[in-house]
Amino acid sequence: MTPDLDPERAAQRVAAARAYVDALVSHDPSGVSLHPECTRVELALKTGRNGPHIARGLRRGPQFRLIHRISEFSADVDGHMVATRYWVHVRPKMLGLAAHVHESFVVDEDNRIRAIVARFGVPRRRG
């Protein structure tokens, strides 16, 4: 955490990022505060062109329907940047597959997500 960042402000920024991550599982973006001009880049490809487009993807995107659980979530805050790390567990559950994700969020003064950059590995068995 940046030394001059108020701990409450840092917690709010982490909560904004966590709401997005939780929506990957729930497919309910209503609790996610996305700026209308928010963009999402995944593995160097733009996958979200604006806030409403990203919210629709969370709600109906087939790529997110495979996710059934998130584990080992952690976050670090540096100013407006929230760097998260977590595992996404994908279907079918019986295979026990999960991929490690590094996702960065730029969160503005109103705690709205302005940008998302995601990197992740190939799903592998996690015991």
Side-chain angles (χ1 to χ4, degrees):
M1 182 170 70
T2 305
D4 59 342
L5 185 62
D6 174 332
E8 183 177 334
R9 175 66 79 184
Q12 291 169 345
R13 290 181 182 157
V14 170
R18 183 64 200 231
Y20 174 88
V21 172
D22 288 344
L24 294 171
V25 176
S26 71
H27 311 295
D28 177 8
S30 63
V32 182
S33 184
L34 295 165
H35 188 278
E37 295 175 13
C38 182
T39 58
R40 183 171 190 276
V41 173
E42 181 178 298
L43 299 173
L45 297 172
K46 191 172 187 178
T47 59
R49 64 181 175 268
N50 57 44
H53 179 248
I54 294 167
R56 275 192 308 278
L58 288 169
R59 187 178 302 107
R60 297 190 301 245
Q63 71 276 25
F64 299 126
R65 292 291 170 182
L66 294 174
I67 299 170
H68 69 86
R69 183 168 67 97
I70 302 294
S71 67
E72 300 177 42
F73 177 89
S74 65
D76 293 309
V77 179
D78 186 5
H80 289 276
M81 179 70 66
V82 180
T84 66
R85 290 163 310 288
Y86 55 92
W87 288 90
V88 294
H89 299 263
V90 296
R91 298 182 197 285
K93 292 180 186 180
M94 65 186 159
L95 294 179
L97 297 176
H100 198 236
V101 177
H102 292 262
E103 200 155 29
S104 298
F105 299 84
V106 176
V107 180
D108 69 15
E109 289 299 320
D110 297 320
N111 295 317
R112 297 177 301 178
I113 299 171
R114 297 286 309 225
I116 306 166
V117 176
R119 296 182 330 270
F120 52 87
V122 175
R124 64 179 198 221
R125 285 192 185 268
R126 294 254 314 157

